[in-house]
PDB file of all heavy atoms in Angstrom:
ATOM      1  N   ILE A  28     -65.495  14.177 -62.819  1.00 94.00           N
ATOM      2  CA  ILE A  28     -64.910  15.460 -62.832  1.00 94.00           C
ATOM      3  C   ILE A  28     -65.555  16.330 -63.968  1.00 94.00           C
ATOM      4  O   ILE A  28     -65.886  17.515 -63.735  1.00 94.00           O
ATOM      5  CB  ILE A  28     -63.372  15.331 -62.999  1.00 94.00           C
ATOM      6  CG1 ILE A  28     -62.777  14.801 -61.670  1.00 94.00           C
ATOM      7  CG2 ILE A  28     -62.750  16.667 -63.383  1.00 94.00           C
ATOM      8  CD1 ILE A  28     -61.316  14.502 -61.832  1.00 94.00           C
ATOM      9  N   PHE A  29     -65.725  15.769 -65.155  1.00 94.00           N
ATOM     10  CA  PHE A  29     -66.364  16.510 -66.276  1.00 94.00           C
ATOM     11  C   PHE A  29     -67.673  17.025 -65.920  1.00 94.00           C
ATOM     12  O   PHE A  29     -67.974  18.190 -66.058  1.00 94.00           O
ATOM     13  CB  PHE A  29     -66.395  15.607 -67.471  1.00 94.00           C
ATOM     14  CG  PHE A  29     -67.077  16.239 -68.649  1.00 94.00           C
ATOM     15  CD1 PHE A  29     -66.368  17.149 -69.409  1.00 94.00           C
ATOM     16  CD2 PHE A  29     -68.424  16.035 -68.948  1.00 94.00           C
ATOM     17  CE1 PHE A  29     -66.954  17.837 -70.480  1.00 94.00           C
ATOM     18  CE2 PHE A  29     -68.992  16.671 -70.041  1.00 94.00           C
ATOM     19  CZ  PHE A  29     -68.247  17.591 -70.809  1.00 94.00           C
ATOM     20  N   PHE A  31     -69.332  17.491 -62.866  1.00 94.00           N
ATOM     21  CA  PHE A  31     -69.407  18.508 -61.782  1.00 94.00           C
ATOM     22  C   PHE A  31     -68.693  19.752 -62.063  1.00 94.00           C
ATOM     23  O   PHE A  31     -69.138  20.832 -61.686  1.00 94.00           O
ATOM     24  CB  PHE A  31     -68.959  17.824 -60.451  1.00 94.00           C
ATOM     25  CG  PHE A  31     -69.951  16.910 -59.855  1.00 94.00           C
ATOM     26  CD1 PHE A  31     -69.818  15.505 -60.035  1.00 94.00           C
ATOM     27  CD2 PHE A  31     -71.090  17.392 -59.253  1.00 94.00           C
ATOM     28  CE1 PHE A  31     -70.769  14.643 -59.516  1.00 94.00           C
ATOM     29  CE2 PHE A  31     -72.049  16.494 -58.714  1.00 94.00           C
ATOM     30  CZ  PHE A  31     -71.880  15.137 -58.856  1.00 94.00           C
ATOM     31  N   VAL A  32     -67.531  19.719 -62.706  1.00 93.00           N
ATOM     32  CA  VAL A  32     -66.734  20.905 -62.971  1.00 93.00           C
ATOM     33  C   VAL A  32     -67.490  21.656 -64.061  1.00 93.00           C
ATOM     34  O   VAL A  32     -67.599  22.915 -63.943  1.00 93.00           O
ATOM     35  CB  VAL A  32     -65.342  20.527 -63.460  1.00 93.00           C
ATOM     36  CG1 VAL A  32     -64.560  21.749 -63.985  1.00 93.00           C
ATOM     37  CG2 VAL A  32     -64.503  19.987 -62.243  1.00 93.00           C
ATOM     38  N   TRP A  33     -68.056  21.000 -65.069  1.00 92.00           N
ATOM     39  CA  TRP A  33     -68.764  21.749 -66.103  1.00 92.00           C
ATOM     40  C   TRP A  33     -70.005  22.448 -65.553  1.00 92.00           C
ATOM     41  O   TRP A  33     -70.229  23.633 -65.849  1.00 92.00           O
ATOM     42  CB  TRP A  33     -69.202  20.745 -67.212  1.00 92.00           C
ATOM     43  CG  TRP A  33     -69.619  21.405 -68.459  1.00 92.00           C
ATOM     44  CD1 TRP A  33     -70.828  21.921 -68.771  1.00 92.00           C
ATOM     45  CD2 TRP A  33     -68.786  21.687 -69.612  1.00 92.00           C
ATOM     46  NE1 TRP A  33     -70.861  22.452 -69.975  1.00 92.00           N
ATOM     47  CE2 TRP A  33     -69.607  22.316 -70.555  1.00 92.00           C
ATOM     48  CE3 TRP A  33     -67.504  21.395 -69.944  1.00 92.00           C
ATOM     49  CZ2 TRP A  33     -69.148  22.705 -71.808  1.00 92.00           C
ATOM     50  CZ3 TRP A  33     -67.030  21.758 -71.171  1.00 92.00           C
ATOM     51  CH2 TRP A  33     -67.827  22.390 -72.108  1.00 92.00           C
ATOM     52  N   GLU A  35     -70.441  23.405 -62.359  1.00 92.00           N
ATOM     53  CA  GLU A  35     -70.005  24.549 -61.473  1.00 92.00           C
ATOM     54  C   GLU A  35     -69.571  25.736 -62.298  1.00 92.00           C
ATOM     55  O   GLU A  35     -69.878  26.835 -62.036  1.00 92.00           O
ATOM     56  CB  GLU A  35     -68.920  24.049 -60.538  1.00 92.00           C
ATOM     57  CG  GLU A  35     -68.594  25.168 -59.523  1.00 92.00           C
ATOM     58  CD  GLU A  35     -67.516  24.825 -58.499  1.00 92.00           C
ATOM     59  OE1 GLU A  35     -66.693  23.968 -58.857  1.00 92.00           O
ATOM     60  OE2 GLU A  35     -67.548  25.442 -57.428  1.00 92.00           O
ATOM     61  N   MET A  36     -68.830  25.455 -63.389  1.00 90.00           N
ATOM     62  CA  MET A  36     -68.329  26.546 -64.191  1.00 90.00           C
ATOM     63  C   MET A  36     -69.459  27.216 -64.945  1.00 90.00           C
ATOM     64  O   MET A  36     -69.460  28.376 -65.235  1.00 90.00           O
ATOM     65  CB  MET A  36     -67.246  26.043 -65.123  1.00 90.00           C
ATOM     66  CG  MET A  36     -65.959  25.716 -64.388  1.00 90.00           C
ATOM     67  SD  MET A  36     -64.621  25.176 -65.394  1.00 90.00           S
ATOM     68  CE  MET A  36     -63.997  26.770 -65.920  1.00 90.00           C
ATOM     69  N   GLY A  41     -67.115  29.973 -62.954  1.00 83.00           N
ATOM     70  CA  GLY A  41     -65.805  29.735 -62.501  1.00 83.00           C
ATOM     71  C   GLY A  41     -65.732  28.451 -61.589  1.00 83.00           C
ATOM     72  O   GLY A  41     -66.714  28.035 -61.074  1.00 83.00           O
ATOM     73  N   ALA A  42     -64.497  27.941 -61.411  1.00 85.00           N
ATOM     74  CA  ALA A  42     -64.351  26.789 -60.526  1.00 85.00           C
ATOM     75  C   ALA A  42     -64.181  27.226 -59.112  1.00 85.00           C
ATOM     76  O   ALA A  42     -63.874  28.359 -58.804  1.00 85.00           O
ATOM     77  CB  ALA A  42     -63.105  26.022 -60.959  1.00 85.00           C
ATOM     78  N   GLY A  43     -64.528  26.325 -58.172  1.00 87.00           N
ATOM     79  CA  GLY A  43     -64.428  26.657 -56.765  1.00 87.00           C
ATOM     80  C   GLY A  43     -64.358  25.387 -55.898  1.00 87.00           C
ATOM     81  O   GLY A  43     -63.821  24.443 -56.322  1.00 87.00           O
ATOM     82  N   SER A  46     -65.645  21.871 -57.251  1.00 92.00           N
ATOM     83  CA  SER A  46     -64.677  21.222 -58.114  1.00 92.00           C
ATOM     84  C   SER A  46     -63.583  20.599 -57.285  1.00 92.00           C
ATOM     85  O   SER A  46     -63.144  19.494 -57.563  1.00 92.00           O
ATOM     86  CB  SER A  46     -64.092  22.176 -59.084  1.00 92.00           C
ATOM     87  OG  SER A  46     -65.078  22.692 -59.980  1.00 92.00           O
ATOM     88  N   ILE A  50     -62.595  16.575 -56.977  1.00 94.00           N
ATOM     89  CA  ILE A  50     -61.235  16.043 -57.228  1.00 94.00           C
ATOM     90  C   ILE A  50     -60.788  15.169 -56.123  1.00 94.00           C
ATOM     91  O   ILE A  50     -60.203  14.071 -56.310  1.00 94.00           O
ATOM     92  CB  ILE A  50     -60.301  17.169 -57.477  1.00 94.00           C
ATOM     93  CG1 ILE A  50     -60.616  17.904 -58.805  1.00 94.00           C
ATOM     94  CG2 ILE A  50     -58.827  16.781 -57.439  1.00 94.00           C
ATOM     95  CD1 ILE A  50     -59.890  19.172 -59.063  1.00 94.00           C
ATOM     96  N   PRO A  73     -57.079  12.511 -62.018  1.00 94.00           N
ATOM     97  CA  PRO A  73     -57.858  13.703 -61.621  1.00 94.00           C
ATOM     98  C   PRO A  73     -57.253  15.021 -62.050  1.00 94.00           C
ATOM     99  O   PRO A  73     -57.967  15.892 -62.618  1.00 94.00           O
ATOM    100  CB  PRO A  73     -57.954  13.584 -60.158  1.00 94.00           C
ATOM    101  CG  PRO A  73     -57.929  12.145 -59.844  1.00 94.00           C
ATOM    102  CD  PRO A  73     -56.957  11.578 -60.831  1.00 94.00           C
ATOM    103  N   PRO A  74     -56.013  15.307 -61.873  1.00 93.00           N
ATOM    104  CA  PRO A  74     -55.508  16.599 -62.361  1.00 93.00           C
ATOM    105  C   PRO A  74     -55.514  16.733 -63.893  1.00 93.00           C
ATOM    106  O   PRO A  74     -55.859  17.764 -64.369  1.00 93.00           O
ATOM    107  CB  PRO A  74     -53.999  16.596 -61.932  1.00 93.00           C
ATOM    108  CG  PRO A  74     -53.912  15.605 -60.867  1.00 93.00           C
ATOM    109  CD  PRO A  74     -54.975  14.581 -61.126  1.00 93.00           C
ATOM    110  N   LEU A  75     -55.278  15.632 -64.591  1.00 94.00           N
ATOM    111  CA  LEU A  75     -55.390  15.729 -66.077  1.00 94.00           C
ATOM    112  C   LEU A  75     -56.839  15.881 -66.533  1.00 94.00           C
ATOM    113  O   LEU A  75     -57.084  16.678 -67.455  1.00 94.00           O
ATOM    114  CB  LEU A  75     -54.795  14.428 -66.666  1.00 94.00           C
ATOM    115  CG  LEU A  75     -53.264  14.235 -66.473  1.00 94.00           C
ATOM    116  CD1 LEU A  75     -52.869  12.899 -67.024  1.00 94.00           C
ATOM    117  CD2 LEU A  75     -52.475  15.420 -67.101  1.00 94.00           C
ATOM    118  N   ALA A  76     -57.774  15.205 -65.942  1.00 94.00           N
ATOM    119  CA  ALA A  76     -59.200  15.334 -66.320  1.00 94.00           C
ATOM    120  C   ALA A  76     -59.677  16.716 -65.999  1.00 94.00           C
ATOM    121  O   ALA A  76     -60.438  17.278 -66.784  1.00 94.00           O
ATOM    122  CB  ALA A  76     -59.986  14.253 -65.617  1.00 94.00           C
ATOM    123  N   TYR A  77     -59.250  17.275 -64.875  1.00 95.00           N
ATOM    124  CA  TYR A  77     -59.648  18.630 -64.517  1.00 95.00           C
ATOM    125  C   TYR A  77     -59.117  19.616 -65.435  1.00 95.00           C
ATOM    126  O   TYR A  77     -59.828  20.511 -65.920  1.00 95.00           O
ATOM    127  CB  TYR A  77     -59.260  18.948 -63.040  1.00 95.00           C
ATOM    128  CG  TYR A  77     -59.606  20.366 -62.705  1.00 95.00           C
ATOM    129  CD1 TYR A  77     -60.919  20.660 -62.352  1.00 95.00           C
ATOM    130  CD2 TYR A  77     -58.694  21.391 -62.711  1.00 95.00           C
ATOM    131  CE1 TYR A  77     -61.303  21.987 -62.099  1.00 95.00           C
ATOM    132  CE2 TYR A  77     -59.024  22.602 -62.427  1.00 95.00           C
ATOM    133  CZ  TYR A  77     -60.317  22.958 -62.087  1.00 95.00           C
ATOM    134  OH  TYR A  77     -60.769  24.263 -61.799  1.00 95.00           O
ATOM    135  N   ALA A  78     -57.799  19.503 -65.792  1.00 94.00           N
ATOM    136  CA  ALA A  78     -57.166  20.434 -66.667  1.00 94.00           C
ATOM    137  C   ALA A  78     -57.903  20.398 -68.062  1.00 94.00           C
ATOM    138  O   ALA A  78     -58.107  21.455 -68.721  1.00 94.00           O
ATOM    139  CB  ALA A  78     -55.702  20.180 -66.784  1.00 94.00           C
ATOM    140  N   ALA A  79     -58.136  19.170 -68.573  1.00 95.00           N
ATOM    141  CA  ALA A  79     -58.797  19.062 -69.824  1.00 95.00           C
ATOM    142  C   ALA A  79     -60.213  19.677 -69.862  1.00 95.00           C
ATOM    143  O   ALA A  79     -60.579  20.322 -70.812  1.00 95.00           O
ATOM    144  CB  ALA A  79     -58.819  17.543 -70.284  1.00 95.00           C
ATOM    145  N   THR A  80     -60.924  19.394 -68.811  1.00 94.00           N
ATOM    146  CA  THR A  80     -62.337  19.911 -68.703  1.00 94.00           C
ATOM    147  C   THR A  80     -62.288  21.390 -68.666  1.00 94.00           C
ATOM    148  O   THR A  80     -63.102  22.093 -69.429  1.00 94.00           O
ATOM    149  CB  THR A  80     -63.013  19.357 -67.434  1.00 94.00           C
ATOM    150  OG1 THR A  80     -63.024  17.921 -67.547  1.00 94.00           O
ATOM    151  CG2 THR A  80     -64.404  19.841 -67.336  1.00 94.00           C
ATOM    152  N   THR A  81     -61.435  22.075 -67.862  1.00 93.00           N
ATOM    153  CA  THR A  81     -61.442  23.521 -67.713  1.00 93.00           C
ATOM    154  C   THR A  81     -60.914  24.128 -68.996  1.00 93.00           C
ATOM    155  O   THR A  81     -61.395  25.193 -69.422  1.00 93.00           O
ATOM    156  CB  THR A  81     -60.568  24.003 -66.585  1.00 93.00           C
ATOM    157  OG1 THR A  81     -59.281  23.453 -66.654  1.00 93.00           O
ATOM    158  CG2 THR A  81     -61.216  23.556 -65.238  1.00 93.00           C
ATOM    159  N   LEU A  82     -59.999  23.467 -69.706  1.00 93.00           N
ATOM    160  CA  LEU A  82     -59.469  24.034 -71.017  1.00 93.00           C
ATOM    161  C   LEU A  82     -60.558  23.997 -72.009  1.00 93.00           C
ATOM    162  O   LEU A  82     -60.744  25.001 -72.744  1.00 93.00           O
ATOM    163  CB  LEU A  82     -58.220  23.285 -71.447  1.00 93.00           C
ATOM    164  CG  LEU A  82     -57.602  23.868 -72.709  1.00 93.00           C
ATOM    165  CD1 LEU A  82     -57.102  25.298 -72.461  1.00 93.00           C
ATOM    166  CD2 LEU A  82     -56.363  22.944 -73.147  1.00 93.00           C
ATOM    167  N   ILE A  83     -61.304  22.915 -72.151  1.00 93.00           N
ATOM    168  CA  ILE A  83     -62.363  22.832 -73.120  1.00 93.00           C
ATOM    169  C   ILE A  83     -63.453  23.840 -72.825  1.00 93.00           C
ATOM    170  O   ILE A  83     -63.925  24.509 -73.723  1.00 93.00           O
ATOM    171  CB  ILE A  83     -62.896  21.352 -73.194  1.00 93.00           C
ATOM    172  CG1 ILE A  83     -61.856  20.428 -73.799  1.00 93.00           C
ATOM    173  CG2 ILE A  83     -64.136  21.302 -74.028  1.00 93.00           C
ATOM    174  CD1 ILE A  83     -62.162  18.942 -73.635  1.00 93.00           C
ATOM    175  N   TYR A  84     -63.823  23.866 -71.538  1.00 92.00           N
ATOM    176  CA  TYR A  84     -64.915  24.856 -71.156  1.00 92.00           C
ATOM    177  C   TYR A  84     -64.457  26.257 -71.424  1.00 92.00           C
ATOM    178  O   TYR A  84     -65.259  27.118 -71.903  1.00 92.00           O
ATOM    179  CB  TYR A  84     -65.290  24.689 -69.713  1.00 92.00           C
ATOM    180  CG  TYR A  84     -66.464  25.613 -69.351  1.00 92.00           C
ATOM    181  CD1 TYR A  84     -67.690  25.239 -69.549  1.00 92.00           C
ATOM    182  CD2 TYR A  84     -66.155  26.849 -68.733  1.00 92.00           C
ATOM    183  CE1 TYR A  84     -68.763  26.093 -69.250  1.00 92.00           C
ATOM    184  CE2 TYR A  84     -67.166  27.715 -68.455  1.00 92.00           C
ATOM    185  CZ  TYR A  84     -68.524  27.320 -68.707  1.00 92.00           C
ATOM    186  OH  TYR A  84     -69.490  28.152 -68.386  1.00 92.00           O
ATOM    187  N   THR A  85     -63.194  26.631 -71.135  1.00 91.00           N
ATOM    188  CA  THR A  85     -62.718  27.929 -71.362  1.00 91.00           C
ATOM    189  C   THR A  85     -62.705  28.304 -72.840  1.00 91.00           C
ATOM    190  O   THR A  85     -63.053  29.381 -73.181  1.00 91.00           O
ATOM    191  CB  THR A  85     -61.327  28.076 -70.747  1.00 91.00           C
ATOM    192  OG1 THR A  85     -61.409  27.723 -69.376  1.00 91.00           O
ATOM    193  CG2 THR A  85     -60.830  29.491 -70.812  1.00 91.00           C
ATOM    194  N   ILE A  86     -62.294  27.355 -73.704  1.00 93.00           N
ATOM    195  CA  ILE A  86     -62.329  27.620 -75.122  1.00 93.00           C
ATOM    196  C   ILE A  86     -63.698  27.834 -75.624  1.00 93.00           C
ATOM    197  O   ILE A  86     -63.969  28.677 -76.509  1.00 93.00           O
ATOM    198  CB  ILE A  86     -61.570  26.469 -75.878  1.00 93.00           C
ATOM    199  CG1 ILE A  86     -60.036  26.526 -75.566  1.00 93.00           C
ATOM    200  CG2 ILE A  86     -61.868  26.570 -77.354  1.00 93.00           C
ATOM    201  CD1 ILE A  86     -59.296  25.361 -76.099  1.00 93.00           C
ATOM    202  N   PHE A  87     -64.678  26.987 -75.103  1.00 92.00           N
ATOM    203  CA  PHE A  87     -66.052  27.196 -75.548  1.00 92.00           C
ATOM    204  C   PHE A  87     -66.579  28.516 -75.042  1.00 92.00           C
ATOM    205  O   PHE A  87     -67.386  29.130 -75.752  1.00 92.00           O
ATOM    206  CB  PHE A  87     -66.946  25.997 -75.012  1.00 92.00           C
ATOM    207  CG  PHE A  87     -66.935  24.783 -75.827  1.00 92.00           C
ATOM    208  CD1 PHE A  87     -67.039  23.540 -75.208  1.00 92.00           C
ATOM    209  CD2 PHE A  87     -66.735  24.807 -77.193  1.00 92.00           C
ATOM    210  CE1 PHE A  87     -67.044  22.427 -75.941  1.00 92.00           C
ATOM    211  CE2 PHE A  87     -66.713  23.649 -77.905  1.00 92.00           C
ATOM    212  CZ  PHE A  87     -66.788  22.438 -77.276  1.00 92.00           C
ATOM    213  N   SER A  88     -66.301  28.921 -73.871  1.00 88.00           N
ATOM    214  CA  SER A  88     -66.875  30.197 -73.325  1.00 88.00           C
ATOM    215  C   SER A  88     -66.217  31.442 -73.840  1.00 88.00           C
ATOM    216  O   SER A  88     -66.857  32.434 -74.040  1.00 88.00           O
ATOM    217  CB  SER A  88     -66.915  30.114 -71.853  1.00 88.00           C
ATOM    218  OG  SER A  88     -65.567  30.131 -71.290  1.00 88.00           O
ATOM    219  N   ASP A  89     -64.860  31.400 -74.009  1.00 85.00           N
ATOM    220  CA  ASP A  89     -64.159  32.615 -74.444  1.00 85.00           C
ATOM    221  C   ASP A  89     -63.798  32.645 -75.951  1.00 85.00           C
ATOM    222  O   ASP A  89     -63.395  33.737 -76.473  1.00 85.00           O
ATOM    223  CB  ASP A  89     -62.771  32.663 -73.732  1.00 85.00           C
ATOM    224  CG  ASP A  89     -62.977  32.918 -72.210  1.00 85.00           C
ATOM    225  OD1 ASP A  89     -64.071  33.369 -71.809  1.00 85.00           O
ATOM    226  OD2 ASP A  89     -62.034  32.664 -71.448  1.00 85.00           O
ATOM    227  N   ARG A  95     -57.004  35.512 -73.416  1.00 90.00           N
ATOM    228  CA  ARG A  95     -58.130  35.315 -72.576  1.00 90.00           C
ATOM    229  C   ARG A  95     -58.258  33.878 -72.037  1.00 90.00           C
ATOM    230  O   ARG A  95     -58.491  33.679 -70.872  1.00 90.00           O
ATOM    231  CB  ARG A  95     -59.419  35.810 -73.270  1.00 90.00           C
ATOM    232  CG  ARG A  95     -60.707  35.685 -72.464  1.00 90.00           C
ATOM    233  CD  ARG A  95     -60.640  36.745 -71.406  1.00 90.00           C
ATOM    234  NE  ARG A  95     -61.829  36.569 -70.606  1.00 90.00           N
ATOM    235  CZ  ARG A  95     -62.125  37.255 -69.530  1.00 90.00           C
ATOM    236  NH1 ARG A  95     -61.216  38.180 -69.094  1.00 90.00           N
ATOM    237  NH2 ARG A  95     -63.144  37.069 -68.774  1.00 90.00           N
ATOM    238  N   VAL A  96     -58.071  32.951 -72.983  1.00 90.00           N
ATOM    239  CA  VAL A  96     -58.132  31.537 -72.559  1.00 90.00           C
ATOM    240  C   VAL A  96     -57.036  31.196 -71.535  1.00 90.00           C
ATOM    241  O   VAL A  96     -57.303  30.517 -70.562  1.00 90.00           O
ATOM    242  CB  VAL A  96     -58.043  30.635 -73.854  1.00 90.00           C
ATOM    243  CG1 VAL A  96     -57.819  29.171 -73.486  1.00 90.00           C
ATOM    244  CG2 VAL A  96     -59.257  30.739 -74.698  1.00 90.00           C
ATOM    245  N   GLY A  97     -55.829  31.637 -71.862  1.00 91.00           N
ATOM    246  CA  GLY A  97     -54.770  31.443 -70.892  1.00 91.00           C
ATOM    247  C   GLY A  97     -54.917  31.978 -69.528  1.00 91.00           C
ATOM    248  O   GLY A  97     -54.723  31.263 -68.536  1.00 91.00           O
ATOM    249  N   ASP A  99     -57.902  32.723 -68.061  1.00 90.00           N
ATOM    250  CA  ASP A  99     -59.020  32.021 -67.431  1.00 90.00           C
ATOM    251  C   ASP A  99     -58.612  30.593 -67.062  1.00 90.00           C
ATOM    252  O   ASP A  99     -59.030  30.052 -66.015  1.00 90.00           O
ATOM    253  CB  ASP A  99     -60.272  31.957 -68.345  1.00 90.00           C
ATOM    254  CG  ASP A  99     -60.943  33.347 -68.411  1.00 90.00           C
ATOM    255  OD1 ASP A  99     -60.600  34.215 -67.599  1.00 90.00           O
ATOM    256  OD2 ASP A  99     -61.810  33.496 -69.352  1.00 90.00           O
ATOM    257  N   PHE A 100     -57.831  29.948 -67.874  1.00 92.00           N
ATOM    258  CA  PHE A 100     -57.380  28.587 -67.539  1.00 92.00           C
ATOM    259  C   PHE A 100     -56.433  28.595 -66.368  1.00 92.00           C
ATOM    260  O   PHE A 100     -56.641  27.760 -65.443  1.00 92.00           O
ATOM    261  CB  PHE A 100     -56.624  27.990 -68.754  1.00 92.00           C
ATOM    262  CG  PHE A 100     -56.104  26.619 -68.582  1.00 92.00           C
ATOM    263  CD1 PHE A 100     -56.986  25.570 -68.403  1.00 92.00           C
ATOM    264  CD2 PHE A 100     -54.782  26.371 -68.568  1.00 92.00           C
ATOM    265  CE1 PHE A 100     -56.487  24.242 -68.177  1.00 92.00           C
ATOM    266  CE2 PHE A 100     -54.314  25.117 -68.364  1.00 92.00           C
ATOM    267  CZ  PHE A 100     -55.120  24.024 -68.178  1.00 92.00           C
ATOM    268  N   ILE A 101     -55.486  29.502 -66.255  1.00 93.00           N
ATOM    269  CA  ILE A 101     -54.616  29.583 -65.116  1.00 93.00           C
ATOM    270  C   ILE A 101     -55.374  29.921 -63.864  1.00 93.00           C
ATOM    271  O   ILE A 101     -55.120  29.370 -62.789  1.00 93.00           O
ATOM    272  CB  ILE A 101     -53.446  30.520 -65.376  1.00 93.00           C
ATOM    273  CG1 ILE A 101     -52.614  30.074 -66.559  1.00 93.00           C
ATOM    274  CG2 ILE A 101     -52.594  30.761 -64.123  1.00 93.00           C
ATOM    275  CD1 ILE A 101     -51.928  28.683 -66.367  1.00 93.00           C
ATOM    276  N   ALA A 102     -56.345  30.847 -63.976  1.00 92.00           N
ATOM    277  CA  ALA A 102     -57.218  31.189 -62.821  1.00 92.00           C
ATOM    278  C   ALA A 102     -57.963  30.026 -62.290  1.00 92.00           C
ATOM    279  O   ALA A 102     -58.126  29.844 -61.112  1.00 92.00           O
ATOM    280  CB  ALA A 102     -58.140  32.357 -63.209  1.00 92.00           C
ATOM    281  N   SER A 103     -58.505  29.183 -63.231  1.00 92.00           N
ATOM    282  CA  SER A 103     -59.256  28.039 -62.819  1.00 92.00           C
ATOM    283  C   SER A 103     -58.367  27.058 -62.130  1.00 92.00           C
ATOM    284  O   SER A 103     -58.818  26.393 -61.138  1.00 92.00           O
ATOM    285  CB  SER A 103     -59.897  27.380 -64.054  1.00 92.00           C
ATOM    286  OG  SER A 103     -60.571  26.172 -63.738  1.00 92.00           O
ATOM    287  N   LEU A 104     -57.143  26.829 -62.640  1.00 92.00           N
ATOM    288  CA  LEU A 104     -56.199  25.906 -61.925  1.00 92.00           C
ATOM    289  C   LEU A 104     -55.854  26.465 -60.518  1.00 92.00           C
ATOM    290  O   LEU A 104     -55.715  25.698 -59.620  1.00 92.00           O
ATOM    291  CB  LEU A 104     -54.973  25.693 -62.800  1.00 92.00           C
ATOM    292  CG  LEU A 104     -55.160  24.871 -64.056  1.00 92.00           C
ATOM    293  CD1 LEU A 104     -53.852  24.832 -64.805  1.00 92.00           C
ATOM    294  CD2 LEU A 104     -55.561  23.454 -63.752  1.00 92.00           C
ATOM    295  N   ALA A 105     -55.655  27.746 -60.470  1.00 93.00           N
ATOM    296  CA  ALA A 105     -55.269  28.340 -59.218  1.00 93.00           C
ATOM    297  C   ALA A 105     -56.397  28.298 -58.182  1.00 93.00           C
ATOM    298  O   ALA A 105     -56.104  28.166 -56.958  1.00 93.00           O
ATOM    299  CB  ALA A 105     -54.877  29.807 -59.414  1.00 93.00           C
ATOM    300  N   SER A 106     -57.629  28.328 -58.625  1.00 92.00           N
ATOM    301  CA  SER A 106     -58.714  28.313 -57.666  1.00 92.00           C
ATOM    302  C   SER A 106     -58.871  26.958 -56.982  1.00 92.00           C
ATOM    303  O   SER A 106     -59.407  26.881 -55.912  1.00 92.00           O
ATOM    304  CB  SER A 106     -59.996  28.744 -58.343  1.00 92.00           C
ATOM    305  OG  SER A 106     -60.373  27.781 -59.268  1.00 92.00           O
ATOM    306  N   VAL A 107     -58.410  25.882 -57.584  1.00 93.00           N
ATOM    307  CA  VAL A 107     -58.517  24.567 -56.955  1.00 93.00           C
ATOM    308  C   VAL A 107     -57.211  23.989 -56.610  1.00 93.00           C
ATOM    309  O   VAL A 107     -57.048  22.825 -56.328  1.00 93.00           O
ATOM    310  CB  VAL A 107     -59.298  23.558 -57.866  1.00 93.00           C
ATOM    311  CG1 VAL A 107     -60.724  23.985 -58.053  1.00 93.00           C
ATOM    312  CG2 VAL A 107     -58.595  23.360 -59.143  1.00 93.00           C
ATOM    313  N   LEU A 111     -56.009  20.145 -55.484  1.00 93.00           N
ATOM    314  CA  LEU A 111     -55.227  19.332 -56.419  1.00 93.00           C
ATOM    315  C   LEU A 111     -53.988  18.884 -55.701  1.00 93.00           C
ATOM    316  O   LEU A 111     -53.524  17.762 -55.812  1.00 93.00           O
ATOM    317  CB  LEU A 111     -54.805  20.182 -57.610  1.00 93.00           C
ATOM    318  CG  LEU A 111     -55.805  20.400 -58.683  1.00 93.00           C
ATOM    319  CD1 LEU A 111     -55.335  21.439 -59.723  1.00 93.00           C
ATOM    320  CD2 LEU A 111     -56.129  19.090 -59.363  1.00 93.00           C
TER     321      LEU A 111
END
Side-chain angles (χ1 to χ4, degrees):
I28 288 173
F29 177 79
F31 285 101
V32 169
W33 195 277
E35 184 178 29
M36 291 180 84
S46 298
I50 290 168
L75 295 175
Y77 178 77
T80 301
T81 57
L82 184 62
I83 291 168
Y84 183 84
T85 305
I86 290 172
F87 278 147
S88 65
D89 292 341
R95 182 70 184 174
V96 169
D99 287 348
F100 178 66
I101 297 299
S103 175
L104 290 175
S106 67
V107 296
L111 284 169

